[in-house]
Every structure is written in structure tokens, then in C-alpha cells.
Amino acid sequence: MKLIPELPLPETVAPRPKASGELALSLGSSAVWTERMLATLERGITGGKWYSLIDKVWDEETLRMAAWAVIRKDGSPGVDGESCEALEQHLGEITLGLSRELKSGSYQPEPVKRVWIDKPGTKEKRPLGVPCVRDRVVQTALLYVLEPIFECDFAEHSYGFRPQRRAQDAVARVEQLLREGLVFVVDVDFKGYFDSIPQGPLEGLVAAKVADGRVLALVRQYLKQGVMETAKGWQPTEQGTPQGAVISPLLANIYLDPLDQRMARAKRAMTRYADDFIIQCRTRAEAEAVLAEVQAWAAAAGLTVHPQKTRIVDASQPGGFDFLGWHFERGLKWPREKSEKRIREAIRARTGRTDGRALSGIIAALNRRTKGWLGYFRGSNGDIYKRLDRWIRMRLRSIQRKRDRRKGRGRGRDHQRYPNAYWAELGLISLEALARAKPANPA
């Protein structure tokens, strides 16, 4: 199997031998899994189950590598208040302690801290789960061990939270299928998917390939660790995967894999990214049959198909559908309304009229944000890039007006006072020009 590491290993971690083939693994898994283990994975393990795995989780080298991955992400502290900075300062001590706790069976994860954050574009708030740093380390080590076992059998049309797979790849597949005439789109939404996964059946799917009782017990601990909220205290988690947990995306993919495999066997044109998926068909009758099939599967799996958000769309007609931040309609695509609204909100936050930074600093921050946005939303039809360029320059002219002690937005004669060339000289990029240019790395 050909292993394709995602990132260079930290200098303190040496890669282990790698076999050849086609399985793409994450950085951590490619280091943890030995050539012998990968060879067994390739030919198929006797009985179809893996037994002795927990020693790979508590291995100090695995935990150190997992700790560095947590440190790089630099998330917020959990209920114990320990930070990623503290983890880095006491790396050896913490990983040694975790290794000993895992070996002795005394390790117990803390509840996940629940905080509420604004939901972009609305007045609503959504819950965010923040596990403790030390629990993130163990979960990351667990992910490194479990990922290849399931990754090798996941369906080709599944893209979310998988090594060497991107949302851009899923979008490209959708476009290709539309060009081939599969324009009747079954757009499915599972209501509260991550929070509603039945834990018993999920554990059964994990146990179908993993027979190491201590690993299964560790998975169960994370499913049952509960959440801690300031106003409500500790609350149990009787269903769903743990919020914010490193292991949750893998578990979510595992639970939807039976649906993936069913669609693949039936040669359905499904494209899935986590719980966001569509199935493309040639006729409305086929789409209606597919939707009924998915609804029946979901009911048996204990999931709820959202009645308002699930629909069948003819993408060759006005209206179209949204998928992974894009809007698809009549052979064209452009960023969906929410995607444009979010980038405008991000730009607005960086271009306040009373911002005291030098214009060069404001523009540098803007460029970083808009380049990142364009990195994903390149290839749009319509005038989205031109409209954003104009709006950004208006925001900057408004800052300049304020500094010139004039009120109001930058418009009218401000276009002559501060022409486009003025902003270009200050380093402002043009989304329209960059979108036309050939990407430096098309892959």
C-alpha cells in the first residue's frame, strides 16, 4: 500500500518503515503502523478483527506525537483549565503519566466543556465542545491506531475527515456527474446527526473490526464522558459522538459507512462529506426511489431525515442546490449566499473605520483572509470576485475618509482621490485578477 503522509513529522519523531500500495494515511497513522501491520491490513487479518492494539495507544512515542499534534492546533483549555502551552512545557511528564494511566486502567476522561458560540448569519447560537488537552492527546493516539483499520474499506465517494481527501475533490466529482447528465439531485439532511448517532450500534460497528477489549472500553468512555456546562453542570451523553472530540469524525464516518457501501453496491452516484451528502440521478423516478431507500435505511439506523431540508432538485432548472459552500445551477456554480455573507463579515471585522493600524497592516490581514477564501472558491461563475473587490475598496476608502476627518462611506469622488491603483500600490490583491490567474498548485 502506498502511504502518503499529510505533513512532515516533528523533528523529535522518526517515521517508521512504510509499505507500498494505495492506502493514504495521516501523518500519525503512517508513523504508528509498522510495515508488518500494514502488510496484514493489505492481505486481511484472520477472523477480520484486530486484537492487540492498546499497546500502540499507550506507547510513549505515539502519545508524544499525538501531543505535538494537539499543541499545533492550539485549542482552548477544557474543564480542567490546562492549556496547550502547559502541555508543551510539561510534555514528557504528561505523556508518561497518560501512558501509565492507560496501562494500569486508571485513565478516566474528563467531561467535555460546552460553550455556546454565535451561529454565522443568524441570531442563534450553537454548542461547541471543548475536551481537556490531555484527553485530546489520548484521543489523537487512539485515532492513529484505529484510522487505518477502517480507512482501508471506506467507500470511494466519502471525502470528509479522511487523509488526502478534500472538499474540493468532492465538488469536482459533483461537477463531473452533472456534466454526465446526472442532474436530479437527492439532497439529504440528517437532523442533528453527530448528536443523535445511537451509541450501541456505533460501538457494534467498531467491534466488528476491533476485538481489543481495552480499546473498545476507551471508545465507550469517550461516548459516555458527558458534558459540563456552567449553568447546568454535568450532563450525561446517552447518544451521539462527543462534541469537539478528535475521534468523533472517524466514528461519524464509521456509522455512515454501511449506507455508503449500500449506495456503492447499487451503483448510486453518491458524494458524501461527513454528514453532508447528495445522490445524483438521471431521472426523477430514480431520485424518488433513492430517497425512499435512504429514508428506510435512516429509520432502521435510528437517524432522522430532516423533512424540510431534504428534497429532490432538478439542477438543470432555476433554483439549483447548495453543497459544501457552493451553489450549483444550470451547469454553473458560485459561492452560496451564506458563503458570500461569511466572507463579507470577516472582511467587515478587519476594516473598521476606527481601526488605528497602518493601512499596510490592515491590507496584509485582508489579503491573508481573502486569499484563503479564494483558495477554496476558485472557479466561480458570475461576478462574485469583482463585487467583492469593489466592496473591499469601498471599506478601505471609508477608513481613509475617516482619517481625513470626513464622514460617510467611501464613494463618489473618493474613487478619484483613492483610485484602484492607489490600493494596488499599498499591496491590496485583486480577487478577480487572482481568480483568472493559473493556480500555483492546481492539485
Side-chain angles (χ1 to χ4, degrees):
M1 300 176 188
K2 183 179 180 183
L3 303 179
I4 312 173
E6 290 184 310
L7 297 168
L9 288 169
E11 293 181 359
T12 55
V13 181
R16 293 176 176 173
K18 299 177 177 63
S20 61
E22 297 181 352
L23 177 64
L25 298 181
S26 65
L27 162 67
S29 293
S30 64
V32 170
W33 276 65
T34 64
E35 186 174 354
R36 182 178 178 182
M37 292 171 68
L38 289 165
T40 302
L41 185 65
E42 184 176 15
R43 67 172 178 265
I45 193 167
T46 304
K49 291 189 177 186
W50 291 81
Y51 285 82
S52 300
L53 295 172
I54 190 64
D55 61 308
K56 306 296 187 298
V57 179
W58 69 45
D59 181 85
E60 286 186 57
E61 182 180 333
T62 304
L63 289 168
R64 280 197 299 272
M65 183 167 52
W68 279 115
V70 172
I71 291 166
R72 283 195 297 270
K73 290 185 178 179
D74 194 27
S76 302
V79 294
D80 63 356
E82 292 296 320
S83 65
C84 289
E85 182 180 352
L87 172 61
E88 185 173 3
Q89 291 173 351
H90 305 283
L91 184 68
E93 177 186 344
I94 291 173
T95 53
L96 176 60
L98 286 171
S99 178
R100 288 174 174 169
E101 288 180 31
L102 288 164
K103 288 178 182 177
S104 67
S106 62
Y107 170 77
Q108 290 289 332
E110 297 286 347
V112 172
K113 181 171 74 174
R114 176 180 285 171
V115 295
W116 293 85
I117 62 173
D118 293 333
K119 196 171 182 179
T122 71
K123 295 181 179 180
E124 300 176 10
K125 291 185 178 290
R126 64 181 180 88
L128 180 69
V130 185
C132 290
V133 167
R134 67 194 305 271
D135 293 334
R136 277 177 258 171
V137 172
V138 178
Q139 284 190 27
T140 302
L142 180 62
L143 176 66
Y144 292 163
V145 173
L146 291 181
E147 179 186 65
I149 296 172
F150 296 92
E151 177 62 32
C152 66
D153 292 327
F154 279 156
E156 188 65 25
H157 63 248
S158 168
Y159 293 89
F161 305 112
R162 295 183 60 191
Q164 300 300 313
R165 284 170 171 261
R166 310 172 305 163
Q168 292 95 320
D169 301 322
V171 170
R173 170 178 163 83
V174 170
E175 288 188 280
Q176 179 59 39
L177 292 171
L178 288 172
R179 287 192 291 268
E180 293 174 8
L182 282 76
V183 297
F184 287 93
V185 178
V186 182
D187 186 0
V188 181
D189 183 275
F190 287 136
K191 195 171 183 179
Y193 173 65
F194 282 85
D195 293 331
S196 62
I197 298 174
Q199 292 179 354
L202 172 59
E203 290 182 54
L205 289 171
V206 177
K209 292 187 177 183
V210 175
D212 187 321
R214 296 184 71 173
V215 168
L216 294 175
L218 195 56
V219 171
R220 187 175 301 113
Q221 279 183 302
Y222 288 126
L223 292 175
K224 300 294 186 183
Q225 68 189 113
V227 297
M228 184 73 74
E229 191 172 350
T230 303
K232 299 180 180 179
W234 182 83
Q235 301 169 67
T237 46
E238 300 298 336
Q239 63 181 14
T241 57
Q243 291 183 7
V246 177
I247 199 72
S248 283
L250 175 62
L251 295 177
N253 274 336
I254 289 171
Y255 199 70
L256 283 182
D257 186 59
L259 176 62
D260 289 340
Q261 302 300 339
R262 180 170 182 159
M263 293 294 107
R265 287 193 300 271
K267 301 189 183 305
R268 304 296 194 189
M270 181 178 184
T271 305
R272 183 172 71 81
Y273 195 96
D275 62 328
D276 195 359
F277 70 92
I278 61 172
I279 305 167
Q280 293 170 248
C281 306
R282 292 192 181 278
T283 67
R284 179 170 289 278
E286 179 189 356
E288 289 172 351
V290 169
L291 177 55
E293 188 175 355
V294 171
Q295 289 172 325
W297 181 89
L303 301 175
T304 302
V305 174
H306 200 298
Q308 282 77 44
K309 296 182 179 180
T310 298
R311 60 191 184 129
I312 295 174
V313 177
D314 181 353
S316 67
Q317 300 300 313
F321 65 97
D322 294 338
F323 187 61
L324 297 181
W326 288 94
H327 179 79
F328 298 85
E329 182 179 327
R330 292 172 289 178
L332 306 174
K333 79 175 193 296
W334 57 85
R336 68 173 186 165
E337 186 178 341
K338 284 186 178 180
S339 300
E340 181 175 350
K341 187 172 183 178
R342 286 175 183 172
I343 186 61
R344 285 178 178 265
E345 288 174 349
I347 291 167
R348 187 178 287 109
R350 290 164 173 79
T351 53
R353 295 185 199 180
T354 58
D355 194 320
R357 292 175 297 165
L359 283 174
S360 58
I362 294 174
I363 289 172
L366 268 179
N367 286 346
R368 287 191 295 271
R369 184 65 181 85
T370 54
K371 277 183 180 178
W373 184 86
L374 182 63
Y376 183 76
F377 287 107
R378 185 184 293 272
S380 171
N381 300 107
D383 64 349
I384 177 67
Y385 309 125
K386 181 182 291 186
R387 285 190 284 110
L388 282 176
D389 280 341
R390 288 174 177 168
W391 190 73
I392 290 169
R393 288 192 294 265
M394 181 276 292
R395 297 285 302 176
L396 291 172
R397 288 181 179 116
S398 298
I399 293 175
Q400 191 65 66
R401 281 183 65 92
K402 179 72 173 178
R403 294 181 180 184
D404 292 343
R405 300 182 184 280
R406 291 183 293 119
K407 297 180 179 180
R409 293 190 300 169
R411 54 190 174 185
R413 292 187 179 181
D414 287 329
H415 290 267
Q416 286 75 49
R417 291 191 183 96
Y418 319 112
N420 296 355
Y422 172 76
W423 303 111
E425 289 174 4
L426 287 174
L428 181 67
I429 64 170
S430 165
L431 289 171
E432 185 181 18
L434 281 180
R436 287 199 304 263
K438 183 178 179 180
N441 181 11

